[in-house]
Amino acid sequence: MAFKFVDLGLADLEKAVDMKWHDFEDAVQSATASRIHADYIITRNTKDFDGSTVKAITPEEYFSEVFTVDK
C-alpha cells in the first residue's frame, strides 16, 4: 500500500510536546509516523525533520524510490 491514513492520538500529541521542536505540527507528524512505523515522511521541507526517527523525503524522491520502472 502506497499511502495509509491513521488516527492521531493523545500519546502522539504528548510525544510531540516532549520533542520541543520549533514547529509543533512537524513534531506531531514525526511522532505519529514513528508510532505507526512509517517508512517515510513525504514533505517538501525535509530539513524540518532532521530530528525525526522516520526518514523525510521529497515527493520526487518518493516516486523515484518507490515507483521505479525496470528497463
Side-chain angles (χ1 to χ4, degrees):
M1 176 184 311
F3 297 95
K4 179 179 178 182
F5 292 91
V6 298
D7 64 329
L8 172 66
L10 179 60
D12 300 319
L13 296 173
E14 290 173 339
K15 183 175 179 181
V17 168
D18 290 342
M19 293 166 73
K20 298 183 183 349
W21 284 16
H22 176 70
D23 189 317
F24 180 67
E25 289 84 1
D26 290 345
V28 170
Q29 291 177 51
S30 178
T32 305
S34 178
R35 173 179 56 88
I36 66 164
H37 307 286
D39 295 323
Y40 305 106
I41 296 172
I42 302 170
T43 179
R44 292 177 193 244
N45 299 312
T46 58
K47 64 179 173 43
D48 292 347
F49 294 90
D50 285 343
S52 179
T53 59
V54 178
K55 182 180 179 181
I57 61 174
T58 65
E60 295 82 10
E61 290 171 324
Y62 176 76
F63 284 113
S64 70
E65 282 188 31
V66 176
F67 296 107
T68 57
V69 177
D70 293 330
K71 294 182 179 181

